[in-house]
Amino acid sequence: MDLNGLGDFTLVSTHGGLGKASRASGKSKATLSRHIAELEEQLGVRLIERSARGLKLTEAGATLVARTEGPMQEVTEAMTAAREGLATPRGRLRVASPLLFSQLAMGRICAEFCAAYPEVTVEAVAEDRLVDLVEEQFDVAIRINPSPDSGLVGRRFAKDRLVVVAAPSVPMPSPGAVRSVQSVVSSNFQPTHWNLGEANLVLEPVPRLRLSSFLMIRDAAVAGAGAALIPQSIAWNQLARGELVQWGAISGSDVALWILHTSRRLPTPKVRAFVDFMCDRYPEESLVLNG
């Protein structure tokens, strides 16, 4: 199939007529019309109905637009990038990332990325739900332990794990049988045990406070309300300052953060730059979130 013909058909359908497409592209109306006619002949179907009132897409034409508009845009971007040497990230970058990571890290990350790539503008959206990158027009998404998805590709850039922490004033139970401990838990907490494998300790949390965010849980633990189970990444500063003591890590709680983009799109310079930027930011994959 002649990509020039397909491109001109997309151009005419997008602008709603030969005249507007001609003015937008600099191509003559005769050239555009000829290319569309040649494409119709190749396909053996009518794509556009021509009348005195203008042009109207046939059912086949509308189907072709719906199936090729996105890929044609990607081809155009790829050709533009090739002409420019694949060197300069530019344009709007839409990023979806989890709420906690967004609140504690994405502001600085986006500011530093824009400083490094001044021709890129960033729109970051904090979403704990799994966004549809294609339907919702996101360029990349940051996800925790993502499920295998044939439509997405990417790289792991950081690791985290769940740890049990408490203020120094809260006595740590001795190893042995299951130990009950006064705790600060999440709002959706269900009865369970905290298995600290490395510490040879199994805890039975007895909720004293139920809070709706990890930051609230951490701060309540600092205030001495009880033991808490939180991501290690948000406790580094409090541990370093002695405000919290880490009792141990939950066995099998390791999590990985990935930056993903759709495999059906040719990675643009802005996407490649952001993926590399995120991986370079955490070279040892050690996640520290300040807050």
Side-chain angles (χ1 to χ4, degrees):
M1 182 183 295
D2 182 5
L3 284 180
N4 288 327
L6 182 58
D8 286 348
F9 166 69
T10 302
L11 183 69
V12 170
S13 65
T14 300
H15 288 86
L18 289 170
K20 292 181 179 179
S22 175
R23 289 189 291 273
S25 66
K27 298 180 180 181
S28 69
K29 290 192 289 184
T31 297
L32 293 171
S33 181
R34 185 180 72 254
H35 285 170
I36 293 172
E38 292 171 351
L39 179 62
E40 289 176 325
E41 185 176 349
Q42 290 179 31
L43 296 175
V45 294
R46 202 80 163 150
L47 299 175
I48 294 177
E49 295 292 353
R50 299 159 178 83
S51 69
R53 290 180 296 179
L55 303 180
K56 181 180 179 182
L57 293 180
T58 65
E59 184 178 354
T63 299
L64 184 60
V65 168
R67 297 295 296 272
T68 62
E69 190 172 18
M72 282 301 296
Q73 179 62 32
E74 294 167 17
V75 170
T76 300
E77 291 179 358
M79 294 177 69
T80 300
R83 285 194 298 269
E84 296 175 355
L86 298 172
T88 307
R90 56 168 54 90
R92 185 183 68 158
L93 180 77
R94 293 196 78 218
V95 184
S97 64
L99 185 60
L100 180 62
F101 185 83
S102 297
Q103 291 173 330
L104 296 180
M106 284 302 292
R108 284 184 292 271
I109 287 172
C110 292
E112 292 171 8
F113 182 76
C114 286
Y117 299 98
E119 295 188 49
V120 177
T121 59
V122 177
E123 179 184 348
V125 179
E127 291 278 10
D128 280 334
R129 68 181 178 88
L130 297 183
V131 302
D132 186 313
L133 272 69
V134 176
E135 291 296 326
E136 300 178 59
Q137 299 182 336
F138 282 99
D139 295 292
V140 295
I142 295 170
R143 290 184 180 170
I144 298 170
N145 287 348
S147 301
D149 187 331
S150 60
L152 299 177
V153 295
R155 294 166 62 185
R156 186 180 73 183
F157 68 89
K159 294 184 294 185
D160 203 355
R161 60 179 180 171
L162 294 175
V163 296
V164 174
V165 297
S169 59
V170 177
M172 178 178 176
S174 58
V178 176
R179 308 294 188 184
S180 296
V181 61
Q182 183 172 281
S183 302
V184 185
V185 300
S186 63
S187 299
N188 60 357
F189 172 80
Q190 297 295 326
T192 186
H193 288 160
W194 294 342
N195 188 352
L196 309 183
E198 296 177 0
N200 190 28
L201 180 61
V202 178
L203 301 175
E204 180 182 10
V206 178
R208 183 182 184 191
L209 289 177
R210 293 176 181 263
L211 304 174
S212 62
S213 82
F214 278 128
L215 296 182
M216 294 168 66
I217 292 172
R218 181 199 64 190
D219 292 346
V222 170
L229 178 65
I230 60 175
Q232 191 176 48
S233 59
I234 68 170
W236 285 114
N237 290 337
Q238 290 72 23
L239 292 168
R241 292 195 295 261
E243 297 172 347
L244 289 174
V245 176
Q246 182 169 308
W247 290 1
I250 297 295
S251 300
S253 69
D254 290 354
V255 297
L257 280 78
W258 285 70
I259 181 164
L260 304 171
H261 58 87
T262 175
S263 61
R264 288 184 290 172
R265 297 188 61 184
L266 298 170
T268 58
K270 63 185 178 184
V271 169
R272 285 196 302 272
F274 191 71
V275 171
D276 291 340
F277 181 85
M278 291 298 293
C279 293
D280 291 343
R281 186 179 180 85
Y282 302 99
E284 303 299 325
E285 295 192 356
S286 180
L287 186 62
V288 179
L289 301 178
N290 298 316

